[in-house]
Amino acid sequence: MKLATLRTGAATTTAAVQMGAETYLPLPASDVGSLLAGPAWRERAEETMRSAPASAVVQVSRTQLAPLLPQAGKVICCGLNYGDHIQEMGRELPEYPTLFAKFADTLAGPADELTVRGSGRVDWEAELAVVVGATLTRADEAEAAAAIAGYTVANDVSMRDWQNRTLQWFQGKAFDASTPVGPVLATADEFDGSGFEVRGYVNGELVQRGHTRTLVFGPAKLLSYISQFTTLRPGDLVLTGTPGGVGMGMKPPRFLQDGDVLTTEIDGIGRLENRMLINQLALTN
Amino acid sequence: MKLATLRTGAATTTAAVQMGAETYLPLPASDVGSLLAGPAWRERAEETMRSAPASAVVQVSRTQLAPLLPQAGKVICCGLNYGDHIQEMGRELPEYPTLFAKFADTLAGPADELTVRGSGRVDWEAELAVVVGATLTRADEAEAAAAIAGYTVANDVSMRDWQNRTLQWFQGKAFDASTPVGPVLATADEFDGSGFEVRGYVNGELVQRGHTRTLVFGPAKLLSYISQFTTLRPGDLVLTGTPGGVGMGMKPPRFLQDGDVLTTEIDGIGRLENRMLINQLALTN
């Protein structure tokens, strides 16, 4: 099953992706997170899909796709999680995952223009993201694996100048509407457990390619680890880190320019395609 | 005006603090953040205070005080912001504020027991916290100052072992229900702008004392800076950092023990008093 969050005027609705491009069946929940937080979400979605009349199906353009989880309570990201990316950053394989937080406000839709002001070093980080489907408190890996609702695509777009102003990356990672997420939640049952190839492109040029089998901390391990200190809930989002090939690691470093198109893709889930609007206005302080 | 959030069974209500100890007038909003998010919160609160019958006033014990902002959308903290604390950590005065995030789940009530599992290095950080009262996007300092609803007391209790596992402090700062906040929001009009003395005690022994006039980034400057990259909204909370005297900086380092009582106090706002329950259970991973 593939689920999206559609914009409907000022509100949103969850929808199940139908056969055929850009065809969706709205489901009775305001967004994917709200569906997951309700009881028996899978059965409710399947029942709607069985019983809905053909007339209930809608066609929408990709720009009507909202950030998959516009109300996510927790968005937690793992840095330095691919062996090759860790090496390009000049670090050693870690004993513990490096974690930081974003806000729901940080998320953007899969075809949204990404407006960034005040940074001249906007970089890409193509990532697999895990959507939490059940409440997890001090869970072991098996419990965490069973609580994965499914997977989506994200790009942890990073303002490297802000990220490196201080020891804590947060301010360069939490610009409003800078992290595209989507286009869909592909439920865990759609996959055989062999992992995902994550690819990133700038203006059609492949700049990142990595496979999640090389993750130091895989999805279940990450969720279990996080749940030791904070409760994860349905609709929370965990970004698993980015493979090698970020702009900052290039020689010379390369950053996104105004008008660039950033594409992020995982087979079996889908593609984000975001135009960058980088105007570098002066800040007030 | 002083506002609190009271526990009422499984729910909460905002209340105005009345003359006399532990006496509150419930207001029509579920918590302080929800009151601030509504229109004309000050006028609505004042009108209720004028028109409510004496029978509306309730007496509650301190343990019924909820975390002041149990639904805070954003909790953003500044590290290394007092000159003396920066020196004890062996660092130089910063050009930019060091920022990191917590969750609403991280907050605890002003008299709650603080249960921490899996850490043997639980440390204290007494802080002034700023409550946002209006929406702020790329605000200058004057706008930010006008948007301060008021002030409260917080203790950014930090699990130093987890904080120092990786480069990012987040995981040691985001344990559920570990950051007490309250007891009240004291509105900005109650103060003359000369700042606050922040004090922290362990089992009655004074361990931290600092004055916010020595902050590198004061409340309005912090809010303005944050609003350059993310929108602040009514009920958001910004912790301004801690003065010198944390346990990690002592020689030898000193950490909180099971049963210790942590007290955090700012004159004109109030006092947090939290007993530590530190059991150091083994983790599952």
Side-chain angles (χ1 to χ4, degrees):
Chain A
M1 190 187 304
K2 288 191 173 68
L3 301 168
T5 299
L6 307 183
R7 293 181 172 123
T8 57
T12 59
T13 183
T14 322
V17 180
Q18 303 294 97
M19 289 296 184
E22 303 179 351
T23 311
Y24 302 87
L25 175 67
L27 300 176
S30 60
D31 60 59
V32 168
S34 158
L35 180 75
L36 295 177
W41 61 268
R42 179 182 300 278
E43 291 71 19
R44 281 162 61 218
E46 286 170 348
E47 172 56 27
T48 304
M49 289 156 76
R50 260 195 306 274
S51 62
S55 62
V57 170
V58 297
Q59 280 210 315
V60 303
S61 72
R62 281 179 60 87
T63 56
Q64 279 175 266
L65 290 168
L68 185 69
L69 299 155
Q71 309 288 336
K74 288 176 187 154
V75 183
I76 300 180
C77 307
C78 184
L80 309 171
N81 199 14
Y82 281 85
D84 55 347
H85 180 54
I86 292 169
Q87 289 169 328
E88 100 185 331
M89 308 297 275
R91 305 185 194 279
E92 295 186 357
L93 286 188
E95 186 176 359
Y96 302 106
T98 299
L99 301 173
F100 57 92
K102 291 175 184 273
F103 301 115
D105 275 347
T106 319
L107 307 181
D112 288 357
E113 293 178 328
L114 305 183
T115 300
V116 177
R117 295 193 194 182
S119 172
R121 296 181 158 242
V122 183
D123 203 351
W124 53 84
E125 295 200 354
E127 308 203 3
L128 173 74
V130 183
V131 178
V132 178
T135 300
L136 284 177
T137 302
R138 287 186 288 279
D140 62 25
E141 270 189 59
E143 290 172 292
I148 294 174
Y151 302 92
T152 190
V153 184
N155 200 307
D156 176 19
V157 171
S158 301
M159 281 37 86
R160 301 295 187 199
D161 36 9
W162 289 69
Q163 180 182 344
N164 294 323
R165 281 183 172 181
T166 71
L167 291 171
Q168 299 303 296
W169 303 342
F170 164 75
Q171 61 189 271
K173 299 279 197 174
F175 274 50
D176 279 356
S178 66
T179 298
V181 176
V184 299
L185 162 67
T187 54
D189 58 283
E190 300 227 331
F191 305 100
D192 64 3
S194 62
F196 303 90
E197 185 179 88
V198 178
R199 295 185 297 274
Y201 304 81
V202 177
N203 299 328
E205 176 193 346
L206 181 68
V207 289
Q208 287 191 280
R209 174 154 55 179
H211 199 283
T212 60
R213 77 170 91 82
T214 70
L215 287 175
V216 182
F217 305 97
K221 197 172 284 240
L222 269 183
L223 267 54
S224 168
Y225 185 89
I226 293 166
S227 81
Q228 305 308 312
F229 63 90
T230 187
T231 299
L232 290 170
R233 296 199 170 81
D236 286 347
L237 189 66
V238 175
L239 276 65
T240 60
T242 201
V246 301
M248 181 173 62
M250 294 180 172
K251 291 182 191 354
R254 172 179 167 185
F255 298 104
L256 290 166
Q257 303 299 313
D258 184 49
D260 280 353
V261 175
L262 181 64
T263 303
T264 321
E265 195 168 44
I266 299 178
D267 296 336
I269 306 176
R271 197 178 72 246
L272 312 172
E273 198 168 280
N274 301 90
R275 182 173 297 273
M276 305 303 304
L277 297 184
I278 302 174
N279 50 29
Q280 305 185 32
L281 286 186
L283 297 181
T284 59
N285 63 351
Chain B
M1 190 187 306
K2 288 191 173 68
L3 301 168
T5 299
L6 307 182
R7 292 181 172 124
T8 57
T12 59
T13 183
T14 323
V17 180
Q18 303 294 97
M19 291 295 185
E22 303 181 351
T23 311
Y24 302 87
L25 174 67
L27 300 176
S30 60
D31 60 58
V32 168
S34 157
L35 179 76
L36 295 177
W41 61 269
R42 179 183 299 278
E43 290 72 19
R44 283 162 60 218
E46 286 171 347
E47 171 56 26
T48 304
M49 289 156 76
R50 260 193 308 275
S51 61
S55 62
V57 170
V58 297
Q59 279 210 315
V60 303
S61 72
R62 280 180 60 87
T63 57
Q64 279 176 266
L65 290 169
L68 186 70
L69 299 155
Q71 309 289 335
K74 289 177 186 153
V75 182
I76 301 179
C77 308
C78 184
L80 309 171
N81 199 14
Y82 282 84
D84 55 347
H85 180 54
I86 292 168
Q87 287 169 331
E88 98 184 333
M89 307 297 275
R91 305 185 195 280
E92 294 186 357
L93 285 189
E95 186 176 0
Y96 302 106
T98 298
L99 301 174
F100 58 92
K102 291 174 183 275
F103 302 115
D105 275 348
T106 319
L107 307 181
D112 287 356
E113 292 179 330
L114 305 182
T115 301
V116 177
R117 295 193 193 182
S119 172
R121 298 183 156 241
V122 184
D123 202 351
W124 52 84
E125 295 201 353
E127 308 204 2
L128 173 74
V130 184
V131 179
V132 177
T135 300
L136 283 178
T137 302
R138 286 186 289 279
D140 62 25
E141 270 188 61
E143 290 172 291
I148 294 174
Y151 302 93
T152 190
V153 184
N155 200 307
D156 175 19
V157 171
S158 300
M159 281 37 88
R160 301 295 187 199
D161 35 10
W162 288 69
Q163 180 182 345
N164 294 323
R165 281 184 173 181
T166 72
L167 292 172
Q168 300 302 298
W169 304 341
F170 164 75
Q171 60 189 270
K173 298 280 197 173
F175 274 49
D176 279 355
S178 65
T179 297
V181 175
V184 301
L185 162 67
T187 54
D189 57 282
E190 299 228 331
F191 305 100
D192 64 4
S194 63
F196 302 90
E197 185 180 88
V198 178
R199 294 186 298 274
Y201 304 81
V202 177
N203 300 328
E205 176 194 347
L206 181 69
V207 289
Q208 287 192 279
R209 174 155 55 180
H211 199 285
T212 59
R213 77 169 92 81
T214 70
L215 286 175
V216 181
F217 305 97
K221 197 173 284 240
L222 270 182
L223 268 54
S224 168
Y225 185 89
I226 294 166
S227 80
Q228 305 307 313
F229 64 90
T230 187
T231 299
L232 291 170
R233 296 199 171 80
D236 287 347
L237 189 65
V238 175
L239 276 65
T240 60
T242 200
V246 301
M248 182 173 62
M250 294 181 172
K251 291 184 189 357
R254 171 178 168 187
F255 298 104
L256 291 166
Q257 304 298 315
D258 184 49
D260 280 352
V261 175
L262 181 64
T263 304
T264 320
E265 194 168 47
I266 299 178
D267 295 337
I269 305 176
R271 197 177 72 247
L272 312 172
E273 198 167 281
N274 301 90
R275 182 174 297 273
M276 305 304 303
L277 298 183
I278 302 174
N279 50 30
Q280 305 184 33
L281 287 187
L283 297 182
T284 61
N285 63 348

